[in-house]
Amino acid sequence: MTVPSLTLTSLGGAADAPLVVLGSSLGTSSILWEDVAPALAADYRVLAWDLPGHGASPAASDSFSVADLADAVADTVGEPFLYAGVSLGGAVGLTLALRHPSLVRRAAIVASGAQLGEPSGWHERAAQIRAQSTSSVIVGSAQRWFAPDSIAQRPELSGRLLHALQDADDESYALCCEALAAYDVRPSLGEIRMPVLAVWGQFDAVAPEAKSVEIASGVASGSIVEIADAAHLPPAEQPVATAAALLDFFQEA
C-alpha cells in the first residue's frame, strides 16, 4: 500500500478565512461541488481534492487503502479544517476523523457510510473497469447517482459529471474500488469525538438513510439531515439545500 498523490483545487474564499476541505465521490471530480462552493466561500476558504486519476489528481499505479487516502489528504492540506465529502470522499472523512483528529474540526459525511457495498461487488467492478474501461459503467452510474428528475433539471452539470467518469483513469478507478472493498470503520465509530453530520439523499439506494443513522448514532456527537429530491450526489442535484445544511453545521463550530 502507498499514500497516493492528490491535487487540491481552490474553489474560492478569503485567504485568512477558516478552511473547508471538500472530497468528491468515485468517478466524479471537484466539479461536483462547484454550485455549493460559492455559498461556502462567503465565509470560508474552500479547497477540494480529487481522487487519484480523477480530475486534477495524478493517476495511481500502486494499491492504496481508504486510510492511505485520508493520510494523503491530511499531508496535502497540512492545517486544521472543516470537512465535507461525498460517498468515497465521505468514507475518507470518517477515516480522517479517526486518524487525524487534531486536524478535523467537524466532518460532514454526505451520501456515504461507515461501510459501503459488498467486497465482491467492488472487486467485480474493478475487474470490469480494467477490462472495459470506465465507459462501461456510465449507464449504471447515472442510474445510481441521480434522483428521477435530477438529470432533466440539471442536464449540463449531470453531463459533465458523466464525462468526468469517462475521463477518469481506469486503473486508478479500479484501485479506488479495491480500497472500498476493504473499507469498514463501523467498529471504530465510537472513537470519533468531534461533531459529525451524516447527510443522505432521499432517493439514494447506495447509501440510504440507514447508513447515516448508523454513523450519527455510532459517533460521540452525531446528527443527520435528509436532502429531498436527491440521490447519491446531493451537491450536484440539490446544491442550495446541501449548502444550507453544511453552513448550519459548520457555523456551529
Side-chain angles (χ1 to χ4, degrees):
M1 296 284 181
T2 59
V3 175
S5 297
L6 303 177
T7 299
L8 297 172
T9 299
S10 174
L11 297 182
D16 59 350
L19 176 60
V20 168
V21 174
L22 304 175
S24 300
S25 60
L26 178 63
T28 71
S29 72
S30 57
I31 65 173
L32 175 63
W33 288 101
E34 65 181 30
D35 288 345
V36 172
L40 299 179
D43 297 303
Y44 301 97
R45 175 166 54 103
V46 184
L47 297 176
W49 65 275
D50 288 323
L51 290 162
H54 293 59
S57 287
S61 57
D62 297 321
S63 62
F64 52 81
S65 65
V66 174
D68 291 326
L69 290 173
D71 291 349
V73 172
D75 292 345
T76 304
V77 176
E79 62 180 286
F81 54 88
L82 300 157
Y83 185 83
V86 178
S87 195
L88 177 50
V92 171
L94 286 174
T95 310
L96 276 164
L98 286 164
R99 294 174 68 85
H100 301 279
S102 64
L103 290 180
V104 183
R105 297 170 57 203
R106 286 174 170 250
I109 311 303
V110 183
S112 191
Q115 181 275 336
L116 292 166
E118 294 296 328
S120 60
W122 289 118
H123 287 298
E124 289 169 4
R125 195 188 303 183
Q128 177 183 345
I129 295 301
R130 289 189 173 110
Q132 303 176 41
S133 86
T134 57
S135 296
S136 68
V137 296
I138 288 176
V139 172
S141 296
Q143 292 169 344
R144 289 189 297 271
W145 285 358
F146 300 114
D149 295 328
S150 290
I151 292 178
Q153 291 178 357
R154 314 206 76 211
E156 193 269 341
L157 182 57
S158 300
R160 289 173 61 212
L161 287 165
L162 292 170
H163 277 295
L165 169 59
Q166 187 173 31
D167 291 341
D169 175 67
D170 294 337
E171 180 61 17
S172 300
Y173 185 107
L175 292 170
C176 285
C177 291
E178 290 167 347
L180 280 165
Y183 164 72
D184 188 349
V185 297
R186 290 175 293 185
S188 304
L189 285 175
E191 300 172 22
I192 298 176
R193 314 309 297 177
M194 76 282 292
V196 173
L197 175 67
V199 182
W200 79 95
Q202 178 185 3
F203 296 102
D204 192 357
V206 178
E209 180 181 3
K211 291 290 187 182
S212 286
V213 171
E214 182 175 55
I215 292 169
S217 61
V219 300
S221 178
S223 55
I224 57 175
V225 168
E226 179 187 34
I227 305 296
D229 299 318
H232 198 51
L233 301 182
E237 299 175 274
Q238 299 294 335
V240 174
T242 302
L246 295 180
L247 286 169
D248 284 347
F249 177 60
F250 290 155
Q251 289 172 352
E252 295 173 4

